[in-house]
């Protein structure tokens, strides 16, 4: 029982469970007010209320609408800085997927991926590759199976393999993106120290 509890505490298992539940509990987009509504709110509210609530809330809503990242308005500059530091082809979607592994340190975002997550990602990647080979074998053998119960069973097994592969890919993608982000940031840090 103790080993079972330890396995459930592993973050990658949490990501797996979250990926199964997330389609049913997706956070709803906050509706952005149109220009007239915004002007009406800004004209008819006090200065403190505007500065402390309306403007930050609008920034958070707009940032979430554009990026899919729900965050406090004070964190938005750090996310923009991270995207600019990454450059290349990194999109907000990549950063959103890696969000569970992003930490705020000294006015910038860093990445923390545990060794357990790295090892499990490697293991799941091998399992995913094995399932891909198995899927290929099943698809090839489908042509040799005659129509009937065996054919339907092969189709069902193929669909199960595809579903498992999809779930595994969904679970390991955020970790792989986070590892890639960490490598880029570490390389930038090393090259920055070398130029000093």
């Amino acid at each position: 029982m103790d080993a079972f509890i330890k396995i459930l505490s592993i973050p990658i298992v949490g990501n797996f469970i979250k990926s199964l539940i997330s389609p049913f509990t997706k956070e709803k987009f906050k509706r952005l007010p149109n220009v007239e509504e915004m002007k009406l709110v800004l004209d008819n509210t006090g200065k403190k209320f505007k500065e402390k609530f309306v403007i930050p809330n609008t920034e958070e809503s707009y940032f979430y609408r554009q990026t899919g990242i729900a965050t406090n308005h004070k964190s938005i500059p750090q996310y923009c800085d991270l995207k600019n530091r990454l450059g290349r082809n990194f999109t907000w979607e990549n950063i959103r997927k890696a969000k569970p592994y992003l930490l705020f340190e000294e006015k910038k975002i860093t990445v923390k991926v545990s060794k357990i997550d790295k090892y499990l990602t490697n293991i799941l990647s091998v399992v995913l590759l094995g399932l891909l080979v198995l899927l290929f074998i099943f698809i090839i053998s489908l042509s040799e199976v005659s129509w009937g119960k065996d054919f339907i069973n092969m189709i069902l097994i193929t669909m199960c393999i595809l579903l498992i592969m999809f779930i595994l890919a969904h679970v390991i993608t955020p970790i792989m993106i986070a590892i890639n982000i960490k490598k880029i940031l570490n390389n930038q840090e090393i090259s920055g120290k070398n130029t000093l």
Side-chain angles (χ1 to χ4, degrees), residues 96-127:
R96 180 181 51 80
K97 286 180 181 176
K99 186 181 176 192
Y101 303 96
L102 302 179
L103 299 172
F104 289 89
E105 290 181 0
E106 299 177 20
K107 296 191 178 185
K108 68 178 184 177
I109 297 176
T110 59
V111 182
K112 179 158 176 67
V113 180
S114 70
K115 288 183 180 180
I116 293 173
D117 282 341
K118 287 180 186 176
Y119 293 137
L120 285 174
T121 300
N122 291 338
I123 291 168
L124 291 177
S125 296
V126 170
V127 170

Side-chain angles (χ1 to χ4, degrees), residues 59-178:
E59 288 176 4
E60 290 171 6
S61 297
Y62 188 74
F63 186 75
Y64 180 72
R65 171 67 67 91
Q66 294 299 313
T67 65
I69 299 171
T71 189
N72 186 294
H73 77 282
K74 292 180 180 178
S75 303
I76 293 172
Q78 284 98 342
Y79 278 108
C80 292
D81 177 58
L82 175 65
K83 186 172 186 282
N84 291 335
R85 284 190 291 156
L86 291 172
R88 299 183 188 178
N89 291 326
F90 274 89
T91 63
W92 286 115
E93 183 179 351
N94 298 129
I95 295 170
R96 180 181 51 80
K97 286 180 181 176
K99 186 181 176 192
Y101 303 96
L102 302 179
L103 299 172
F104 289 89
E105 290 181 0
E106 299 177 20
K107 296 191 178 185
K108 68 178 184 177
I109 297 176
T110 59
V111 182
K112 179 158 176 67
V113 180
S114 70
K115 288 183 180 180
I116 293 173
D117 282 341
K118 287 180 186 176
Y119 293 137
L120 285 174
T121 300
N122 291 338
I123 291 168
L124 291 177
S125 296
V126 170
V127 170
L128 192 60
L129 185 63
L131 286 172
L132 184 63
V133 170
L134 187 63
L135 180 66
F136 185 69
I137 292 169
F138 270 97
I139 290 172
I140 289 174
S141 62
L142 272 175
S143 63
E144 301 192 15
V145 175
S146 61
W147 180 255
K149 189 176 182 180
D150 291 337
F151 185 78
I152 293 172
N153 287 339
M154 293 287 278
I155 293 289
L156 289 174
I157 290 170
T158 303
M159 290 173 61
C160 287
I161 291 172
L162 279 171
L163 178 65
I164 292 168
M165 287 175 64
F166 173 76
I167 291 170
L168 287 177
H170 187 73
V171 168
I172 64 175
T173 297
I175 300 167
M176 295 176 82
I177 292 171

Side-chain angles (χ1 to χ4, degrees), residues 16 27-28 33 42 45 58 68 80 83 98 153 173-174 190 194:
F16 175 74
E27 192 173 331
K28 295 191 177 177
L42 290 173
T45 57
T58 305
C80 292
K83 186 172 186 282
N153 287 339
T173 297
I190 291 168
N194 290 341

Side-chain angles (χ1 to χ4, degrees), residues 178-189:
I179 291 169
N180 195 16
I181 290 173
K182 187 172 185 171
K183 283 179 188 175
I184 291 169
L185 295 177
N186 286 344
N187 289 341
Q188 288 175 354
E189 200 172 289

